């Protein structure tokens, strides 16, 4: 016997005893102990010690067992295995690292000595019931049975009868969980059979079956980063085009970097907690905060009645949001009121005591289908765009294709949640320390809400811990109530959202549904595309109409659709209001374009690469929004990506692999990216800078852009260093502040390096010209000497710069400033039995012009790719029919982990591709690479297609994004899934609500 001591009291640390006693039905340990026939030793003062089996009688209900409340777990006894015993354990989760199980299993098989007759079997499964289940009836049926292929059919039939799941079983994805139960046993069967074949003269398996034995293990990492070296004739002090380290890298890596919540607490500071709606659509009958206000340390409660009606309405584009909900709530987690307390704990506890009475309203609209059914359009957003003549284009076509593409939402999941500290100054002034991407807009909206001039408010942002668009407009959600309280009470107010609050309140990427009718010639030339686009805006407009506009502009991606009709449907639902997110609608639209390319290839019977090549944009062609393309490098990127990835040879190797393996399949796919750079409204394409030179020769830069990890500050220092001809170490950027650079637009749309780089260039150019005479006359002097001389001659050592993107606007046929191009090839391997997958290799070729900083740009490419990988394969927002967000917090919402990074990850920057439209011939890089991760999605689809061929099924099939393990497994239809009634192919998601 193995003896594990389990009774020690441990605080904040997981333990074996704790795992057993909490009894989670998806515990990874309990199925193993149950299958092992383990025993527990417990003790109480009255009854003394006794031993209990962890068997089918151990659990009496959800998280309940037969151990008495007076008993303490002392130890765990686990029997040793014998020579003729085989013990295997499996787990399937949404991701392999640090995740709860969807279904897990432990299989314990004992054979009669030196035979393949089963003496005893113990089969335990988690995730199939409110408790871990021991399949005793199935075990009894296979006792004394010979180990053979026929056994699998017996077990499958018996398990489905013994462990049924109703269609409405908690946790959902019933078909997937049932198929996993059978698949995990089959994996054990393959493993044990393989071992028996080696030890005995038996032939049980086909060689192709052995591919189902093992799961995936993290690959040894391998990568390359290729970029153009700076020519040797350039001065070594010139930092441009060099891979300089991020200026905050060491501070952020060591935890020394300061964020809003790191600001020391003021002596008289208070904390704000939120009273949030619990209904998705309801009338507010009454609000009672009396119990909350009686609590010690609680100072105030504010709600809509405390604010003037006209000022309570707010919003970034139109005023369709209330700061405090007044009469009705239209989504869960809208702010009804705020509690102001001494600290976070007291304030949040009191907020939970506020009683809100509702009268529920109907309907509750959650999905796009709901919104379409109820015609829930946001007013004045329905638009139809026409390019060419779609009807004529469809008549010219040899084939008409009808299809659809769907993408789910995505959570920003920045490491730093929304935070604000509001500090009153002299009663009528406020300082906002905010984690926002948009200090200027936040200043304006706060001033408007409070009814005071903007010059009385200063918004400061040192840095933010990630934004991705989520901290543009939604920062106002907590800033406006906090500013109201601080202004009214004349005391500093702070709030930092809990992760659950942040996810429930602030919105994410827009779910999209595209329905299309496409015409093409027999060669695959696309003659027309008639597209209806549906977007889930949530409960308010926010930036949704801009997102839809950007989706329209990217709907053909890198391909020239001759005629285009695009119908925009911005739909209102009773869910959180969706907002800007890296890519701003373009990843969803380009996903539809790549789906169309593959549909056309299927119909005309050609390789999709031929269809890409036939339809790809070339320099001089005109987009469907009437912009002439210049310097179009899409074909170059595709060619170099295919060559560097050795695409054709690897495709042949994959075909051979798939022929040799039944339960593991590989796929390889390529996607392209033509990303238009520039804010949709022309007025937003502007930026300012302030440069101060001090008497010790140090330089301080202030810009309107926010540093959020993307390296903006580093690049601005590089630009200033080149113009002023001083080392980067002498230049600093302290923070973004509205009293230094006014009226700044949002740090977004990948244009910040362009806009603020241009502004820094102008300001530094002014200072350089002012110092020119001193440089030329004081030959023996240095930078400090020139500064001193200029100061003594009363020359200003401060300058402002301003940049407005020239020649841009739909009225002149130039909606986009320029384009960033890219292509990616990804290879994956899929486990057909579980739906798990692994990215073996990814090769990216990206046209970033002449990179200002290759290290930062390649980091942006790799980071964007992994965020896109989450969008297209892993991350999934799950709502209940009543509008409750289930997938909140890191326990429920899964981001890519280290093991999800491609085993081999190669990034190359296109050489000899300068861009005359941006700073030092560079191109924007923050958003464009994200879509390239869809190459993994399409590679997965190729692998599934190969699996479907094994069952004589169509390898061309509909697959919704994200390609979760559930969708992958159920699409790999086989004899196991055939036993499961009505597979949930349309809405399957690897999900379990137990934590």
């Amino acid at each position: 016997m193995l003896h594990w001591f389990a009774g020690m009291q441990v605080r904040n640390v997981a333990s074996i005893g704790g795992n057993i006693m909490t009894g989670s039905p998806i515990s990874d340990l309990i199925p193993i102990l149950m299958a092992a026939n383990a025993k527990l030793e417990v003790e109480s003062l009255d009854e003394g010690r006794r031993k209990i089996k962890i068997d089918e009688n151990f659990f009496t209900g959800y998280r309940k067992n037969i151990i008495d409340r007076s008993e303490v777990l002392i130890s765990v006894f686990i029997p040793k295995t014998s020579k003729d015993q085989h013990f295997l354990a499996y787990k399937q989760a949404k991701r392999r690292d640090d995740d709860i199980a969807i279904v897990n299993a432990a299989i314990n098989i004992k054979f009669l000595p030196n035979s393949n007759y089963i003496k005893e079997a113990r089969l335990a499964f988690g995730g199939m019931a409110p408790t871990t289940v021991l399949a005793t009836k199935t075990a009894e049926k296979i006792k004394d049975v010979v180990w053979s292929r026929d056994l699998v059919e017996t077990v499958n039939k018996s398990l489905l009868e013994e462990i049924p799941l109703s269609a409405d079983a908690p946790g959902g994805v019933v078909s997937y969980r049932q198929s996993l139960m059978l698949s995990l046993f089959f994996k054990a069967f393959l493993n044990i059979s393989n071992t028996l074949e080696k030890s005995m003269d038996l032939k049980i398996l086909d060689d192709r079956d052995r591919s189902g034995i093992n799961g995936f293990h993290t690959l040894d990492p391998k990568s390359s980063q290729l970029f153009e070296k700076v020519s040797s004739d350039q001065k070594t002090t010139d930092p441009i085009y060099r891979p300089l380290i991020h200026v905050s890298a060491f501070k952020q890596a060591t935890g020394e970097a300061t964020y809003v919540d790191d600001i020391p607490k003021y002596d008289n500071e208070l904390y704000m907690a939120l009273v949030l709606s619990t209904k998705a659509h309801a009338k507010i009958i009454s609000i009672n905060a009396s119990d909350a206000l009686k609590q010690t340390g609680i100072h105030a409660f504010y709600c809509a009645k405390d604010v003037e009606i006209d000022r309570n309405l707010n919003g970034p584009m139109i005023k369709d949001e209330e700061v405090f909900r007044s009469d009705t709530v239209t989504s869960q987690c809208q702010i009804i009121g705020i509690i102001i307390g001494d600290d976070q704990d007291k304030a949040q506890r009191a907020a939970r005591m506020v009683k809100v009475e509702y009268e529920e309203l109907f309907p509750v609209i959650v999905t796009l289908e709901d919104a379409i059914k109820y015609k829930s359009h946001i007013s004045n957003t329905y638009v139809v765009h026409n390019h060419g003549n779609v009807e004529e284009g469809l008549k010219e076509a040899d084939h008409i294709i009808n299809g659809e593409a769907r993408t789910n939402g995505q959570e920003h999941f920045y490491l730093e949640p929304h935070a604000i500290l509001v500090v009153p100054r002299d009663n009528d002034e406020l300082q906002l320390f905010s984690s926002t991407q948009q200090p200027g807009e936040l200043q304006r909206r706060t001033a408007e809400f409070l009814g005071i001039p903007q010059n009385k408010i200063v918004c400061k942002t040192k840095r933010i811990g990630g934004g991705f668009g989520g901290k543009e407009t939604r920062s106002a959600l907590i800033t406006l109530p906090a500013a109201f309280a601080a202004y009214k009470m004349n005391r500093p107010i702070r709030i930092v959202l809990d992760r659950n609050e942040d996810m429930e309140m602030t919105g994410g990427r827009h779910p999209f549904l595209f329905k299309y009718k496409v015409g093409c010639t027999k060669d695959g030339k696309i003659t027309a595309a008639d597209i209806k686009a549906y977007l889930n805006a949530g409960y308010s407009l926010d930036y949704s109409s801009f997102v839809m506009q950007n989706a329209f502009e990217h709907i053909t991606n890198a391909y020239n659709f001759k005629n285009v009709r695009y119908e925009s449907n911005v739909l209102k639902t009773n869910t959180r209001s969706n907002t800007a997110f890296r890519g701003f609608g373009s990843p969803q639209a380009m996903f539809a374009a790549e789906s169309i390319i593959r549909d056309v290839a299927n119909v005309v019977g050609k390789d999709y690469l031929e269809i890409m090549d036939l339809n790809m944009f070339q320099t001089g062609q005109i987009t469907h929004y009437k912009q002439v393309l210049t310097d179009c490098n899409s074909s170059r990127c595709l060619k170099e990506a295919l060559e560097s990835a050795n695409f054709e040879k690897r495709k042949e190797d994959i075909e051979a692999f798939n022929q040799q393996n039944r339960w593991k399949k590989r796929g390889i796919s390529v996607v392209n990216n033509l990303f238009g750079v520039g804010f949709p409204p022309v007025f937003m394409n502007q930026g300012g800078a302030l440069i101060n030179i001090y008497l010790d020769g140090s330089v301080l830069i202030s810009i309107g852009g926010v540093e959020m990890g993307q390296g903006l500050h580093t690049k601005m220092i590089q630009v200033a260093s080149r113009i002023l001809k001083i080392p980067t170490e002498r230049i600093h950027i302290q923070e973004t502040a509205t009293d230094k650079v006014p009226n700044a637009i949002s740090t977004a749309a990948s244009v910040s390096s362009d806009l603020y780089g241009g502004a820094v260039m102008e300001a530094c150019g002014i200072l350089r010209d002012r110092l020119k005479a001193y440089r030329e006359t004081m030959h023996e002097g240095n930078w400090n000497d020139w500064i001193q001389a200029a100061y003594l001659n009363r020359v200003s050592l401060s300058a402002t710069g301003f940049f407005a993107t020239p020649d841009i606007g739909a009225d002149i046929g130039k909606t986009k400033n320029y384009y960033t191009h890219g292509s990616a090839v990804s290879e994956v391997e899929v486990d057909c039995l579980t739906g798990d997958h692994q990215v073996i290799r990814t090769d990216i070729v990206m046209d970033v012009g002449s990179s200002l900083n290759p290290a930062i740009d390649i980091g942006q490419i790799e980071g964007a790719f992994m965020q896109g990988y989450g969008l297209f394969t892993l991350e999934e927002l799950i709502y209940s029919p009543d509008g409750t967000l289930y997938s909140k917090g890191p326990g429920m919402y899964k981001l890519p982990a280290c093991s999800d990074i491609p085993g081999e990850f190669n990034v190359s920057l296109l050489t000899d591709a300068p861009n005359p439209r941006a700073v030092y011939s560079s191109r924007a890089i923050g958003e464009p690479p994200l879509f390239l991760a869809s190459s993994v999605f399409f590679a997965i689809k190729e692998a599934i297609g190969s699996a479907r061929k094994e069952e004589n099924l169509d390898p061309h099939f509909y697959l919704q994004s994200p390609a979760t393990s559930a969708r992958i497994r159920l699409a790999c239809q086989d004899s196991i899934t055939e036993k499961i009634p009505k597979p949930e192919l349309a809405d399957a998601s690897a999900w379990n609500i137990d934590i």
Side-chain angles (χ1 to χ4, degrees), residues 148 184 207 249 360 371 399 407 530 613 694 844 902 904 917 989:
S148 68
L184 295 182
D207 287 342
E360 294 197 54
H399 301 282
T407 58
D530 190 357
D613 183 63
Y694 296 94
I844 294 175
E904 182 174 346
R917 296 284 298 175
S989 55

Side-chain angles (χ1 to χ4, degrees), residues 349-368:
R349 189 184 298 117
R352 291 192 290 270
M353 296 180 180
V354 177
K355 298 180 179 66
V356 182
E357 185 181 351
Y358 302 94
E359 177 188 326
E360 294 197 54
L361 302 174
F362 297 95
V364 175
I365 300 174
V366 176
T367 67
L368 281 169

Side-chain angles (χ1 to χ4, degrees), residues 171 255 312 396 437 539 682 729 750 837 894:
N312 194 37
E396 295 173 12
Q437 293 174 240
Y539 68 77
V682 175
E729 293 78 15
S750 305
H837 77 272
K894 296 302 175 182

